[in-house]
PDB file of all heavy atoms in Angstrom:
ATOM      1  N   ILE A  15       6.087  44.681 293.196  1.00 91.00           N
ATOM      2  CA  ILE A  15       7.396  45.143 292.708  1.00 91.00           C
ATOM      3  C   ILE A  15       7.470  45.044 291.188  1.00 91.00           C
ATOM      4  O   ILE A  15       7.931  45.965 290.504  1.00 91.00           O
ATOM      5  CB  ILE A  15       8.523  44.337 293.369  1.00 91.00           C
ATOM      6  CG1 ILE A  15       8.579  44.639 294.871  1.00 91.00           C
ATOM      7  CG2 ILE A  15       9.869  44.653 292.713  1.00 91.00           C
ATOM      8  CD1 ILE A  15       9.532  43.743 295.642  1.00 91.00           C
ATOM      9  N   ALA A  16       6.978  43.908 290.653  1.00 87.00           N
ATOM     10  CA  ALA A  16       7.007  43.719 289.201  1.00 87.00           C
ATOM     11  C   ALA A  16       6.153  44.767 288.497  1.00 87.00           C
ATOM     12  O   ALA A  16       6.530  45.289 287.437  1.00 87.00           O
ATOM     13  CB  ALA A  16       6.525  42.315 288.839  1.00 87.00           C
ATOM     14  N   ALA A  17       4.988  45.095 289.088  1.00 82.00           N
ATOM     15  CA  ALA A  17       4.097  46.073 288.460  1.00 82.00           C
ATOM     16  C   ALA A  17       4.763  47.435 288.340  1.00 82.00           C
ATOM     17  O   ALA A  17       4.529  48.167 287.370  1.00 82.00           O
ATOM     18  CB  ALA A  17       2.803  46.185 289.267  1.00 82.00           C
ATOM     19  N   TYR A  18       5.590  47.783 289.310  1.00 85.00           N
ATOM     20  CA  TYR A  18       6.260  49.085 289.280  1.00 85.00           C
ATOM     21  C   TYR A  18       7.550  49.062 288.478  1.00 85.00           C
ATOM     22  O   TYR A  18       7.921  50.063 287.855  1.00 85.00           O
ATOM     23  CB  TYR A  18       6.559  49.546 290.714  1.00 85.00           C
ATOM     24  CG  TYR A  18       5.366  50.126 291.421  1.00 85.00           C
ATOM     25  CD1 TYR A  18       4.684  49.398 292.378  1.00 85.00           C
ATOM     26  CD2 TYR A  18       4.913  51.425 291.136  1.00 85.00           C
ATOM     27  CE1 TYR A  18       3.570  49.923 293.030  1.00 85.00           C
ATOM     28  CE2 TYR A  18       3.811  51.953 291.783  1.00 85.00           C
ATOM     29  CZ  TYR A  18       3.147  51.206 292.728  1.00 85.00           C
ATOM     30  OH  TYR A  18       2.046  51.724 293.364  1.00 85.00           O
ATOM     31  N   LYS A  19       8.254  47.938 288.482  1.00 86.00           N
ATOM     32  CA  LYS A  19       9.589  47.898 287.894  1.00 86.00           C
ATOM     33  C   LYS A  19       9.603  47.496 286.418  1.00 86.00           C
ATOM     34  O   LYS A  19      10.440  47.974 285.651  1.00 86.00           O
ATOM     35  CB  LYS A  19      10.470  46.906 288.683  1.00 86.00           C
ATOM     36  CG  LYS A  19      10.731  47.331 290.132  1.00 86.00           C
ATOM     37  CD  LYS A  19      11.611  48.559 290.196  1.00 86.00           C
ATOM     38  CE  LYS A  19      11.993  48.885 291.641  1.00 86.00           C
ATOM     39  NZ  LYS A  19      12.831  50.116 291.717  1.00 86.00           N
ATOM     40  N   VAL A  20       8.700  46.595 286.020  1.00 83.00           N
ATOM     41  CA  VAL A  20       8.740  46.069 284.656  1.00 83.00           C
ATOM     42  C   VAL A  20       8.264  47.135 283.675  1.00 83.00           C
ATOM     43  O   VAL A  20       7.179  47.698 283.837  1.00 83.00           O
ATOM     44  CB  VAL A  20       7.874  44.802 284.530  1.00 83.00           C
ATOM     45  CG1 VAL A  20       7.818  44.335 283.080  1.00 83.00           C
ATOM     46  CG2 VAL A  20       8.436  43.694 285.411  1.00 83.00           C
ATOM     47  N   GLN A  21       9.080  47.411 282.654  1.00 78.00           N
ATOM     48  CA  GLN A  21       8.709  48.373 281.633  1.00 78.00           C
ATOM     49  C   GLN A  21       7.601  47.809 280.756  1.00 78.00           C
ATOM     50  O   GLN A  21       7.482  46.601 280.563  1.00 78.00           O
ATOM     51  CB  GLN A  21       9.931  48.709 280.767  1.00 78.00           C
ATOM     52  CG  GLN A  21      11.079  49.341 281.521  1.00 78.00           C
ATOM     53  CD  GLN A  21      10.756  50.754 281.995  1.00 78.00           C
ATOM     54  OE1 GLN A  21       9.984  51.469 281.349  1.00 78.00           O
ATOM     55  NE2 GLN A  21      11.328  51.147 283.114  1.00 78.00           N
ATOM     56  N   MET A  22       6.790  48.707 280.183  1.00 71.00           N
ATOM     57  CA  MET A  22       5.721  48.259 279.299  1.00 71.00           C
ATOM     58  C   MET A  22       6.279  47.544 278.075  1.00 71.00           C
ATOM     59  O   MET A  22       5.638  46.651 277.526  1.00 71.00           O
ATOM     60  CB  MET A  22       4.874  49.454 278.862  1.00 71.00           C
ATOM     61  CG  MET A  22       4.093  50.107 279.986  1.00 71.00           C
ATOM     62  SD  MET A  22       2.905  48.991 280.769  1.00 71.00           S
ATOM     63  CE  MET A  22       1.678  48.859 279.479  1.00 71.00           C
ATOM     64  N   THR A  23       7.481  47.929 277.648  1.00 71.00           N
ATOM     65  CA  THR A  23       8.102  47.259 276.515  1.00 71.00           C
ATOM     66  C   THR A  23       8.489  45.822 276.842  1.00 71.00           C
ATOM     67  O   THR A  23       8.730  45.025 275.941  1.00 71.00           O
ATOM     68  CB  THR A  23       9.352  48.026 276.064  1.00 71.00           C
ATOM     69  OG1 THR A  23      10.181  48.274 277.203  1.00 71.00           O
ATOM     70  CG2 THR A  23       8.976  49.348 275.434  1.00 71.00           C
ATOM     71  N   GLU A  24       8.562  45.491 278.123  1.00 78.00           N
ATOM     72  CA  GLU A  24       8.902  44.143 278.549  1.00 78.00           C
ATOM     73  C   GLU A  24       7.663  43.333 278.936  1.00 78.00           C
ATOM     74  O   GLU A  24       7.781  42.226 279.470  1.00 78.00           O
ATOM     75  CB  GLU A  24       9.868  44.201 279.735  1.00 78.00           C
ATOM     76  CG  GLU A  24      11.200  44.875 279.406  1.00 78.00           C
ATOM     77  CD  GLU A  24      12.084  45.036 280.633  1.00 78.00           C
ATOM     78  OE1 GLU A  24      11.535  45.086 281.747  1.00 78.00           O
ATOM     79  OE2 GLU A  24      13.307  45.103 280.470  1.00 78.00           O
ATOM     80  N   MET A  25       6.498  43.866 278.635  1.00 79.00           N
ATOM     81  CA  MET A  25       5.272  43.174 279.004  1.00 79.00           C
ATOM     82  C   MET A  25       5.113  41.811 278.335  1.00 79.00           C
ATOM     83  O   MET A  25       4.573  40.873 278.948  1.00 79.00           O
ATOM     84  CB  MET A  25       4.067  44.064 278.693  1.00 79.00           C
ATOM     85  CG  MET A  25       2.809  43.682 279.461  1.00 79.00           C
ATOM     86  SD  MET A  25       3.057  43.521 281.247  1.00 79.00           S
ATOM     87  CE  MET A  25       3.556  45.184 281.691  1.00 79.00           C
ATOM     88  N   PRO A  26       5.535  41.619 277.050  1.00 82.00           N
ATOM     89  CA  PRO A  26       5.443  40.272 276.480  1.00 82.00           C
ATOM     90  C   PRO A  26       6.192  39.232 277.308  1.00 82.00           C
ATOM     91  O   PRO A  26       5.690  38.124 277.527  1.00 82.00           O
ATOM     92  CB  PRO A  26       6.071  40.443 275.087  1.00 82.00           C
ATOM     93  CG  PRO A  26       5.850  41.869 274.757  1.00 82.00           C
ATOM     94  CD  PRO A  26       5.986  42.609 276.057  1.00 82.00           C
ATOM     95  N   GLN A  27       7.404  39.588 277.760  1.00 85.00           N
ATOM     96  CA  GLN A  27       8.154  38.663 278.604  1.00 85.00           C
ATOM     97  C   GLN A  27       7.402  38.394 279.904  1.00 85.00           C
ATOM     98  O   GLN A  27       7.367  37.261 280.395  1.00 85.00           O
ATOM     99  CB  GLN A  27       9.537  39.236 278.930  1.00 85.00           C
ATOM    100  CG  GLN A  27      10.448  39.402 277.730  1.00 85.00           C
ATOM    101  CD  GLN A  27      10.396  40.778 277.123  1.00 85.00           C
ATOM    102  OE1 GLN A  27       9.329  41.227 276.721  1.00 85.00           O
ATOM    103  NE2 GLN A  27      11.525  41.460 277.047  1.00 85.00           N
ATOM    104  N   MET A  28       6.809  39.446 280.455  1.00 87.00           N
ATOM    105  CA  MET A  28       6.078  39.302 281.711  1.00 87.00           C
ATOM    106  C   MET A  28       4.880  38.369 281.541  1.00 87.00           C
ATOM    107  O   MET A  28       4.622  37.503 282.380  1.00 87.00           O
ATOM    108  CB  MET A  28       5.617  40.684 282.191  1.00 87.00           C
ATOM    109  CG  MET A  28       4.999  40.687 283.570  1.00 87.00           C
ATOM    110  SD  MET A  28       6.233  40.330 284.843  1.00 87.00           S
ATOM    111  CE  MET A  28       5.229  40.545 286.317  1.00 87.00           C
ATOM    112  N   VAL A  29       4.167  38.545 280.447  1.00 87.00           N
ATOM    113  CA  VAL A  29       3.011  37.684 280.186  1.00 87.00           C
ATOM    114  C   VAL A  29       3.457  36.237 280.015  1.00 87.00           C
ATOM    115  O   VAL A  29       2.832  35.309 280.543  1.00 87.00           O
ATOM    116  CB  VAL A  29       2.257  38.180 278.938  1.00 87.00           C
ATOM    117  CG1 VAL A  29       1.175  37.185 278.538  1.00 87.00           C
ATOM    118  CG2 VAL A  29       1.631  39.541 279.195  1.00 87.00           C
ATOM    119  N   GLY A  30       4.546  36.030 279.271  1.00 87.00           N
ATOM    120  CA  GLY A  30       5.058  34.678 279.108  1.00 87.00           C
ATOM    121  C   GLY A  30       5.447  34.053 280.440  1.00 87.00           C
ATOM    122  O   GLY A  30       5.169  32.880 280.701  1.00 87.00           O
ATOM    123  N   LEU A  31       6.094  34.843 281.287  1.00 90.00           N
ATOM    124  CA  LEU A  31       6.496  34.351 282.606  1.00 90.00           C
ATOM    125  C   LEU A  31       5.284  33.983 283.451  1.00 90.00           C
ATOM    126  O   LEU A  31       5.252  32.923 284.107  1.00 90.00           O
ATOM    127  CB  LEU A  31       7.335  35.415 283.307  1.00 90.00           C
ATOM    128  CG  LEU A  31       8.008  35.026 284.624  1.00 90.00           C
ATOM    129  CD1 LEU A  31       9.004  33.905 284.407  1.00 90.00           C
ATOM    130  CD2 LEU A  31       8.691  36.236 285.254  1.00 90.00           C
ATOM    131  N   LEU A  32       4.258  34.835 283.442  1.00 90.00           N
ATOM    132  CA  LEU A  32       3.056  34.569 284.231  1.00 90.00           C
ATOM    133  C   LEU A  32       2.309  33.346 283.704  1.00 90.00           C
ATOM    134  O   LEU A  32       1.752  32.566 284.493  1.00 90.00           O
ATOM    135  CB  LEU A  32       2.144  35.797 284.220  1.00 90.00           C
ATOM    136  CG  LEU A  32       2.691  37.025 284.958  1.00 90.00           C
ATOM    137  CD1 LEU A  32       1.752  38.208 284.782  1.00 90.00           C
ATOM    138  CD2 LEU A  32       2.896  36.731 286.433  1.00 90.00           C
ATOM    139  N   ASN A  33       2.285  33.175 282.384  1.00 91.00           N
ATOM    140  CA  ASN A  33       1.679  31.959 281.824  1.00 91.00           C
ATOM    141  C   ASN A  33       2.378  30.721 282.361  1.00 91.00           C
ATOM    142  O   ASN A  33       1.735  29.730 282.749  1.00 91.00           O
ATOM    143  CB  ASN A  33       1.786  31.973 280.297  1.00 91.00           C
ATOM    144  CG  ASN A  33       0.785  32.903 279.649  1.00 91.00           C
ATOM    145  OD1 ASN A  33      -0.201  33.297 280.262  1.00 91.00           O
ATOM    146  ND2 ASN A  33       1.033  33.265 278.410  1.00 91.00           N
ATOM    147  N   GLY A  34       3.723  30.771 282.366  1.00 93.00           N
ATOM    148  CA  GLY A  34       4.487  29.622 282.845  1.00 93.00           C
ATOM    149  C   GLY A  34       4.242  29.320 284.308  1.00 93.00           C
ATOM    150  O   GLY A  34       4.095  28.156 284.701  1.00 93.00           O
ATOM    151  N   LEU A  35       4.181  30.362 285.122  1.00 93.00           N
ATOM    152  CA  LEU A  35       3.932  30.149 286.547  1.00 93.00           C
ATOM    153  C   LEU A  35       2.542  29.587 286.787  1.00 93.00           C
ATOM    154  O   LEU A  35       2.338  28.758 287.687  1.00 93.00           O
ATOM    155  CB  LEU A  35       4.113  31.473 287.302  1.00 93.00           C
ATOM    156  CG  LEU A  35       5.538  32.032 287.318  1.00 93.00           C
ATOM    157  CD1 LEU A  35       5.571  33.374 288.038  1.00 93.00           C
ATOM    158  CD2 LEU A  35       6.504  31.056 287.969  1.00 93.00           C
ATOM    159  N   GLY A  36       1.573  30.035 285.976  1.00 93.00           N
ATOM    160  CA  GLY A  36       0.231  29.469 286.095  1.00 93.00           C
ATOM    161  C   GLY A  36       0.208  27.990 285.768  1.00 93.00           C
ATOM    162  O   GLY A  36      -0.431  27.186 286.461  1.00 93.00           O
ATOM    163  N   GLY A  37       0.916  27.603 284.702  1.00 93.00           N
ATOM    164  CA  GLY A  37       0.999  26.188 284.353  1.00 93.00           C
ATOM    165  C   GLY A  37       1.705  25.377 285.414  1.00 93.00           C
ATOM    166  O   GLY A  37       1.281  24.258 285.747  1.00 93.00           O
ATOM    167  N   ALA A  38       2.792  25.932 285.975  1.00 94.00           N
ATOM    168  CA  ALA A  38       3.518  25.222 287.031  1.00 94.00           C
ATOM    169  C   ALA A  38       2.650  25.029 288.263  1.00 94.00           C
ATOM    170  O   ALA A  38       2.661  23.950 288.884  1.00 94.00           O
ATOM    171  CB  ALA A  38       4.780  26.009 287.395  1.00 94.00           C
ATOM    172  N   ALA A  39       1.892  26.078 288.643  1.00 94.00           N
ATOM    173  CA  ALA A  39       1.025  25.969 289.819  1.00 94.00           C
ATOM    174  C   ALA A  39      -0.012  24.864 289.633  1.00 94.00           C
ATOM    175  O   ALA A  39      -0.280  24.074 290.551  1.00 94.00           O
ATOM    176  CB  ALA A  39       0.340  27.312 290.076  1.00 94.00           C
ATOM    177  N   SER A  40      -0.590  24.798 288.440  1.00 94.00           N
ATOM    178  CA  SER A  40      -1.601  23.768 288.177  1.00 94.00           C
ATOM    179  C   SER A  40      -0.982  22.373 288.219  1.00 94.00           C
ATOM    180  O   SER A  40      -1.572  21.440 288.790  1.00 94.00           O
ATOM    181  CB  SER A  40      -2.242  24.014 286.810  1.00 94.00           C
ATOM    182  OG  SER A  40      -2.903  25.263 286.780  1.00 94.00           O
ATOM    183  N   ALA A  41       0.208  22.223 287.609  1.00 94.00           N
ATOM    184  CA  ALA A  41       0.861  20.914 287.632  1.00 94.00           C
ATOM    185  C   ALA A  41       1.225  20.508 289.052  1.00 94.00           C
ATOM    186  O   ALA A  41       1.110  19.324 289.437  1.00 94.00           O
ATOM    187  CB  ALA A  41       2.110  20.948 286.742  1.00 94.00           C
ATOM    188  N   LEU A  42       1.652  21.469 289.871  1.00 94.00           N
ATOM    189  CA  LEU A  42       2.004  21.162 291.259  1.00 94.00           C
ATOM    190  C   LEU A  42       0.800  20.717 292.075  1.00 94.00           C
ATOM    191  O   LEU A  42       0.933  19.924 293.012  1.00 94.00           O
ATOM    192  CB  LEU A  42       2.667  22.383 291.909  1.00 94.00           C
ATOM    193  CG  LEU A  42       4.098  22.674 291.462  1.00 94.00           C
ATOM    194  CD1 LEU A  42       4.584  24.000 292.046  1.00 94.00           C
ATOM    195  CD2 LEU A  42       5.037  21.543 291.874  1.00 94.00           C
ATOM    196  N   VAL A  43      -0.383  21.231 291.714  1.00 93.00           N
ATOM    197  CA  VAL A  43      -1.606  20.763 292.386  1.00 93.00           C
ATOM    198  C   VAL A  43      -1.786  19.266 292.154  1.00 93.00           C
ATOM    199  O   VAL A  43      -2.088  18.506 293.088  1.00 93.00           O
ATOM    200  CB  VAL A  43      -2.833  21.542 291.880  1.00 93.00           C
ATOM    201  CG1 VAL A  43      -4.131  20.875 292.352  1.00 93.00           C
ATOM    202  CG2 VAL A  43      -2.792  22.991 292.364  1.00 93.00           C
ATOM    203  N   ALA A  44      -1.583  18.826 290.907  1.00 93.00           N
ATOM    204  CA  ALA A  44      -1.709  17.404 290.593  1.00 93.00           C
ATOM    205  C   ALA A  44      -0.649  16.585 291.306  1.00 93.00           C
ATOM    206  O   ALA A  44      -0.936  15.506 291.852  1.00 93.00           O
ATOM    207  CB  ALA A  44      -1.619  17.202 289.085  1.00 93.00           C
ATOM    208  N   VAL A  45       0.588  17.084 291.313  1.00 93.00           N
ATOM    209  CA  VAL A  45       1.670  16.364 291.995  1.00 93.00           C
ATOM    210  C   VAL A  45       1.385  16.251 293.488  1.00 93.00           C
ATOM    211  O   VAL A  45       1.554  15.175 294.091  1.00 93.00           O
ATOM    212  CB  VAL A  45       3.017  17.085 291.756  1.00 93.00           C
ATOM    213  CG1 VAL A  45       4.122  16.458 292.603  1.00 93.00           C
ATOM    214  CG2 VAL A  45       3.406  17.036 290.274  1.00 93.00           C
ATOM    215  N   ALA A  46       0.930  17.345 294.100  1.00 92.00           N
ATOM    216  CA  ALA A  46       0.633  17.328 295.530  1.00 92.00           C
ATOM    217  C   ALA A  46      -0.510  16.384 295.860  1.00 92.00           C
ATOM    218  O   ALA A  46      -0.469  15.652 296.870  1.00 92.00           O
ATOM    219  CB  ALA A  46       0.293  18.752 296.004  1.00 92.00           C
ATOM    220  N   GLU A  47      -1.538  16.362 295.024  1.00 91.00           N
ATOM    221  CA  GLU A  47      -2.677  15.474 295.278  1.00 91.00           C
ATOM    222  C   GLU A  47      -2.261  14.020 295.134  1.00 91.00           C
ATOM    223  O   GLU A  47      -2.674  13.163 295.931  1.00 91.00           O
ATOM    224  CB  GLU A  47      -3.814  15.811 294.300  1.00 91.00           C
ATOM    225  CG  GLU A  47      -5.080  14.999 294.516  1.00 91.00           C
ATOM    226  CD  GLU A  47      -5.787  15.295 295.827  1.00 91.00           C
ATOM    227  OE1 GLU A  47      -5.361  16.233 296.540  1.00 91.00           O
ATOM    228  OE2 GLU A  47      -6.750  14.579 296.149  1.00 91.00           O
ATOM    229  N   PHE A  48      -1.429  13.715 294.115  1.00 92.00           N
ATOM    230  CA  PHE A  48      -0.940  12.345 293.959  1.00 92.00           C
ATOM    231  C   PHE A  48      -0.121  11.936 295.184  1.00 92.00           C
ATOM    232  O   PHE A  48      -0.281  10.826 295.714  1.00 92.00           O
ATOM    233  CB  PHE A  48      -0.078  12.248 292.690  1.00 92.00           C
ATOM    234  CG  PHE A  48       0.436  10.863 292.413  1.00 92.00           C
ATOM    235  CD1 PHE A  48      -0.314   9.964 291.685  1.00 92.00           C
ATOM    236  CD2 PHE A  48       1.685  10.453 292.889  1.00 92.00           C
ATOM    237  CE1 PHE A  48       0.162   8.679 291.430  1.00 92.00           C
ATOM    238  CE2 PHE A  48       2.170   9.185 292.639  1.00 92.00           C
ATOM    239  CZ  PHE A  48       1.404   8.289 291.908  1.00 92.00           C
ATOM    240  N   TRP A  49       0.736  12.842 295.643  1.00 90.00           N
ATOM    241  CA  TRP A  49       1.585  12.562 296.805  1.00 90.00           C
ATOM    242  C   TRP A  49       0.729  12.334 298.055  1.00 90.00           C
ATOM    243  O   TRP A  49       0.997  11.446 298.860  1.00 90.00           O
ATOM    244  CB  TRP A  49       2.541  13.725 297.015  1.00 90.00           C
ATOM    245  CG  TRP A  49       3.671  13.434 297.963  1.00 90.00           C
ATOM    246  CD1 TRP A  49       3.627  13.476 299.322  1.00 90.00           C
ATOM    247  CD2 TRP A  49       4.997  13.045 297.614  1.00 90.00           C
ATOM    248  NE1 TRP A  49       4.840  13.158 299.849  1.00 90.00           N
ATOM    249  CE2 TRP A  49       5.712  12.872 298.830  1.00 90.00           C
ATOM    250  CE3 TRP A  49       5.660  12.840 296.413  1.00 90.00           C
ATOM    251  CZ2 TRP A  49       7.054  12.512 298.860  1.00 90.00           C
ATOM    252  CZ3 TRP A  49       6.987  12.471 296.447  1.00 90.00           C
ATOM    253  CH2 TRP A  49       7.670  12.308 297.656  1.00 90.00           C
ATOM    254  N   ARG A  50      -0.329  13.162 298.197  1.00 88.00           N
ATOM    255  CA  ARG A  50      -1.205  13.035 299.377  1.00 88.00           C
ATOM    256  C   ARG A  50      -1.941  11.700 299.379  1.00 88.00           C
ATOM    257  O   ARG A  50      -1.974  10.993 300.404  1.00 88.00           O
ATOM    258  CB  ARG A  50      -2.217  14.178 299.387  1.00 88.00           C
ATOM    259  CG  ARG A  50      -3.119  14.202 300.631  1.00 88.00           C
ATOM    260  CD  ARG A  50      -4.205  15.236 300.501  1.00 88.00           C
ATOM    261  NE  ARG A  50      -5.189  14.860 299.498  1.00 88.00           N
ATOM    262  CZ  ARG A  50      -6.211  14.027 299.747  1.00 88.00           C
ATOM    263  NH1 ARG A  50      -6.355  13.470 300.947  1.00 88.00           N
ATOM    264  NH2 ARG A  50      -7.073  13.728 298.796  1.00 88.00           N
ATOM    265  N   LEU A  51      -2.526  11.353 298.239  1.00 88.00           N
ATOM    266  CA  LEU A  51      -3.268  10.100 298.163  1.00 88.00           C
ATOM    267  C   LEU A  51      -2.344   8.904 298.357  1.00 88.00           C
ATOM    268  O   LEU A  51      -2.699   7.931 299.042  1.00 88.00           O
ATOM    269  CB  LEU A  51      -3.986   9.999 296.813  1.00 88.00           C
ATOM    270  CG  LEU A  51      -5.119  11.013 296.575  1.00 88.00           C
ATOM    271  CD1 LEU A  51      -5.623  10.922 295.146  1.00 88.00           C
ATOM    272  CD2 LEU A  51      -6.262  10.772 297.552  1.00 88.00           C
ATOM    273  N   LEU A  52      -1.146   8.990 297.766  1.00 86.00           N
ATOM    274  CA  LEU A  52      -0.202   7.889 297.900  1.00 86.00           C
ATOM    275  C   LEU A  52       0.278   7.773 299.343  1.00 86.00           C
ATOM    276  O   LEU A  52       0.392   6.663 299.889  1.00 86.00           O
ATOM    277  CB  LEU A  52       0.987   8.119 296.960  1.00 86.00           C
ATOM    278  CG  LEU A  52       1.918   6.924 296.714  1.00 86.00           C
ATOM    279  CD1 LEU A  52       1.174   5.824 295.972  1.00 86.00           C
ATOM    280  CD2 LEU A  52       3.132   7.364 295.897  1.00 86.00           C
ATOM    281  N   GLY A  53       0.537   8.917 299.994  1.00 81.00           N
ATOM    282  CA  GLY A  53       1.018   8.891 301.378  1.00 81.00           C
ATOM    283  C   GLY A  53      -0.022   8.390 302.357  1.00 81.00           C
ATOM    284  O   GLY A  53       0.310   7.732 303.360  1.00 81.00           O
ATOM    285  N   ASN A  54      -1.278   8.676 302.084  1.00 83.00           N
ATOM    286  CA  ASN A  54      -2.358   8.227 302.969  1.00 83.00           C
ATOM    287  C   ASN A  54      -2.822   6.814 302.667  1.00 83.00           C
ATOM    288  O   ASN A  54      -3.696   6.285 303.367  1.00 83.00           O
ATOM    289  CB  ASN A  54      -3.563   9.173 302.872  1.00 83.00           C
ATOM    290  CG  ASN A  54      -3.248  10.558 303.407  1.00 83.00           C
ATOM    291  OD1 ASN A  54      -2.292  10.731 304.170  1.00 83.00           O
ATOM    292  ND2 ASN A  54      -4.040  11.541 303.010  1.00 83.00           N
ATOM    293  N   GLY A  55      -2.260   6.229 301.614  1.00 82.00           N
ATOM    294  CA  GLY A  55      -2.655   4.881 301.250  1.00 82.00           C
ATOM    295  C   GLY A  55      -4.053   4.800 300.672  1.00 82.00           C
ATOM    296  O   GLY A  55      -4.664   3.725 300.649  1.00 82.00           O
ATOM    297  N   GLU A  56      -4.567   5.942 300.167  1.00 83.00           N
ATOM    298  CA  GLU A  56      -5.912   5.959 299.609  1.00 83.00           C
ATOM    299  C   GLU A  56      -5.892   5.516 298.149  1.00 83.00           C
ATOM    300  O   GLU A  56      -4.921   5.747 297.419  1.00 83.00           O
ATOM    301  CB  GLU A  56      -6.502   7.365 299.694  1.00 83.00           C
ATOM    302  CG  GLU A  56      -6.614   7.917 301.102  1.00 83.00           C
ATOM    303  CD  GLU A  56      -7.194   9.322 301.115  1.00 83.00           C
ATOM    304  OE1 GLU A  56      -7.977   9.644 300.199  1.00 83.00           O
ATOM    305  OE2 GLU A  56      -6.865  10.101 302.038  1.00 83.00           O
ATOM    306  N   ALA A  57      -6.990   4.901 297.723  1.00 84.00           N
ATOM    307  CA  ALA A  57      -7.129   4.516 296.322  1.00 84.00           C
ATOM    308  C   ALA A  57      -7.357   5.776 295.481  1.00 84.00           C
ATOM    309  O   ALA A  57      -8.060   6.692 295.905  1.00 84.00           O
ATOM    310  CB  ALA A  57      -8.291   3.549 296.146  1.00 84.00           C
TER     311      ALA A  57
END
């Protein structure tokens, strides 16, 4: 939907948004792994 709807003039905003989502996804991986190890009682 974004590929069809977002204007080329709005591509900088789109790139910024995608950068942010990439960073959030990576941070969530760390949070999830910490939660998993803590929940399982693993060192």
Side-chain angles (χ1 to χ4, degrees):
I15 293 172
Y18 281 104
K19 295 292 186 182
V20 175
Q21 298 291 329
M22 294 299 288
T23 50
E24 298 175 335
M25 200 51 62
Q27 295 94 302
M28 187 68 175
V29 172
L31 188 62
L32 292 175
N33 284 342
L35 294 177
S40 298
L42 286 173
V43 168
V45 173
E47 183 67 6
F48 182 88
W49 194 278
R50 184 187 70 83
L51 293 173
L52 194 66
N54 294 340
E56 300 179 29

